[in-house]
């Protein structure tokens, strides 16, 4: 079967997770299983989420992530980085993950134009913006994890917003569809501006809007990683994007790779041959 590769950091890696985050009732993993179920017997969903990776590392390992044409054909590739690139420089602990904004943009551009991708002539590349950050929840998670250390913000809502904007701009420049997850979550939090004012961005400690913060808290169990509700937003956004850009590639539009068990004509034609 052709492959649908999910390439990203820990948020992608955990897309199939059956762990239940603290204070939640159900496992977080929804996006991966839902996508695999939707494309069952049509495309293979391949999880290439690499926890902790930034775009500098992603670019380096890309040829090991994408199969050659002799190994498999890639139908879809999602590129979902930025949460680690946007980590503030010189923050605890080492090693540092921060990648400056312009290098982040350059790395993404190098990834989408890499020869190992261009080898797959009909590959459909989907850029995904980094999601918002919930600063209060991140600080609380650090207090629980390391009670003897004063927590310090490693990621901020405003800084991450600039990396999301860079993904949008690259999508426009290279004519690639962008799943704007940052805006999808912020819309649900009652925020409809792509600006980066700390006083206005939900999730910032400078923002006193508790209602908006509560919405993001329901998405980000440690201020960064997803709950089931957040993965559902990602899945719904992915299905809408595919329907809009490639309606012939939606799950309902694709045939089974192997015939149904009761397709008598198919089995009659296949008798004595390899399907």
């Amino acid at each position: 079967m052709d492959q649908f590769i999910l390439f990203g950091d820990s948020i992608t890696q955990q897309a199939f997770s059956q762990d239940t985050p603290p204070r939640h009732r159900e496992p977080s993993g929804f996006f991966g299983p839902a996508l695999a179920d939707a494309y069952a017997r049509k495309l293979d969903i391949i999880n290439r989420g690499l926890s902790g990776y930034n775009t500098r590392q992603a670019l380096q390992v890309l040829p090991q992530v994408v199969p050659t044409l002799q190994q498999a054909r890639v139908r879809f590739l999602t590129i979902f980085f930025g949460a680690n690139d946007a980590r503030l420089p010189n923050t605890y602990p080492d090693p540092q993950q921060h990648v400056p904004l312009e290098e982040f943009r350059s790395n993404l551009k190098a990834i989408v134009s890499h020869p190992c991708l261009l080898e797959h002539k009909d590959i459909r590349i989907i850029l995904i913006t980094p999601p918002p950050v919930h600063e209060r929840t991140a600080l609380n998670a650090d207090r629980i994890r390391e009670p003897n250390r004063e927590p310090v913000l490693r990621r901020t809502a405003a800084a991450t917003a600039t990396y999301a904007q860079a993904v949008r701009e690259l999508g426009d420049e290279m004519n690639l569809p962008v799943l704007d997850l940052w805006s999808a979550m912020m819309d649900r939090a009652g925020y409809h501006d792509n600006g980066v004012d700390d006083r206005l961005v939900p999730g910032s400690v400078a923002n006193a809007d508790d209602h908006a913060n509560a919405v993001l808290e329901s998405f980000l169990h440690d201020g960064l990683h997803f709950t089931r509700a957040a993965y559902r937003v990602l899945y719904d956004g992915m299905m809408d994007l595919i329907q809009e850009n490639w309606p012939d590639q939606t799950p309902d539009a694709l045939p089974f790779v192997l015939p149904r068990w009761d397709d008598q004509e198919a089995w009659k034609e296949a008798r004595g041959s390899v399907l």
Side-chain angles (χ1 to χ4, degrees), residues 52-72:
Y53 275 46
N54 56 29
T55 53
R56 192 179 295 156
Q57 295 166 314
L59 179 57
Q60 187 172 337
V61 304
L62 183 63
Q64 297 167 262
V65 168
V66 179
T68 66
L69 280 177
Q70 291 70 40
Q71 295 169 322

Side-chain angles (χ1 to χ4, degrees), residues 242-258:
I242 292 173
Q243 174 65 55
E244 179 180 349
N245 290 275
W246 306 288
D248 62 327
Q249 298 297 312
T250 61
D252 289 342
L254 295 180
F256 284 157
V257 171
L258 297 174

Side-chain angles (χ1 to χ4, degrees), residues 150-227:
E150 183 64 25
V152 176
L153 278 175
R154 292 188 294 275
R155 296 170 177 83
T156 66
T160 301
T162 65
Y163 284 72
Q165 179 60 22
V167 176
R168 296 186 200 100
E169 292 171 357
L170 183 64
D172 288 341
E173 177 187 331
M174 303 195 72
N175 195 29
L176 292 172
V178 175
L179 201 170
D180 190 352
L181 191 59
W182 193 94
S183 293
M185 289 184 174
M186 284 299 199
D187 285 347
R188 288 163 173 79
Y191 182 74
H192 307 290
D193 187 341
N194 288 336
V196 293
D197 187 333
D198 279 339
R199 296 166 298 173
L200 301 177
V201 177
S204 168
V205 292
N207 188 315
D209 189 342
D210 291 333
H211 172 70
N213 287 333
V215 174
L216 288 185
E217 186 177 11
S218 73
F219 288 150
L220 308 166
H221 65 81
D222 61 358
L224 172 67
H225 295 102
F226 284 12
T227 64

Side-chain angles (χ1 to χ4, degrees), residues 66-108:
V66 179
T68 66
L69 280 177
Q70 291 70 40
Q71 295 169 322
R73 290 178 54 191
V74 181
R75 186 87 60 93
F76 285 99
L77 175 76
T78 62
I79 301 173
F80 188 9
F81 290 95
N84 296 318
D85 299 71
R87 178 182 154 185
L88 301 180
N90 305 314
T91 52
Y92 172 85
D94 285 326
Q96 299 298 304
Q97 295 168 294
H98 174 74
V99 171
L101 185 61
E102 282 307 309
E103 183 188 344
F104 167 72
R105 191 178 185 282
S106 175
N107 289 343
L108 280 182

